[in-house]
């Protein structure tokens, strides 16, 4: 059984990785969405924040669910 500090450190590392990768991918994704949706009148920073938030939420949920299912 993993210690509480170890599990928190793992989730912190996962959170850092999610944020780092989402930040790196955001400009390309934002540009793609702006090109695909030319009538989009939302500020690009809102698109970037939505992409980062969605990526973080999805990966965190998958990680916690997988961790909870292990026996």
């Amino acid at each position: 059984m993993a210690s509480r500090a170890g599990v928190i450190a793992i989730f912190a590392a996962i959170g850092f990785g999610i944020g780092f990768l989402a930040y790196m991918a955001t400009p390309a994704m934002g540009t793609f969405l702006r090109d695909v949706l030319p009538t989009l009148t939302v500020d690009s920073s809102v698109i970037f924040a939505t992409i980062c938030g969605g990526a973080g939420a999805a990966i965190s949920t998958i990680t916690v669910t997988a961790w909870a299912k292990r026996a």
Side-chain angles (χ1 to χ4, degrees):
M1 181 116 193
S3 70
R4 181 177 295 235
V7 171
I8 291 171
I10 290 169
F11 280 117
I14 291 170
F16 177 81
I18 291 167
F20 183 82
L21 292 175
Y23 180 80
M24 296 301 285
T26 296
M29 291 292 291
T31 304
F32 171 75
L33 288 175
R34 196 174 52 232
D35 292 344
V36 170
L37 305 170
T39 59
L40 190 64
T41 58
V42 178
D43 185 22
S44 61
S45 63
V46 174
I47 294 173
F48 298 160
T50 303
I51 293 169
C52 289
I59 295 174
S60 296
T61 302
I62 291 168
T63 304
V64 170
T65 304
W67 181 57
K69 287 185 179 181
R70 70 182 180 106

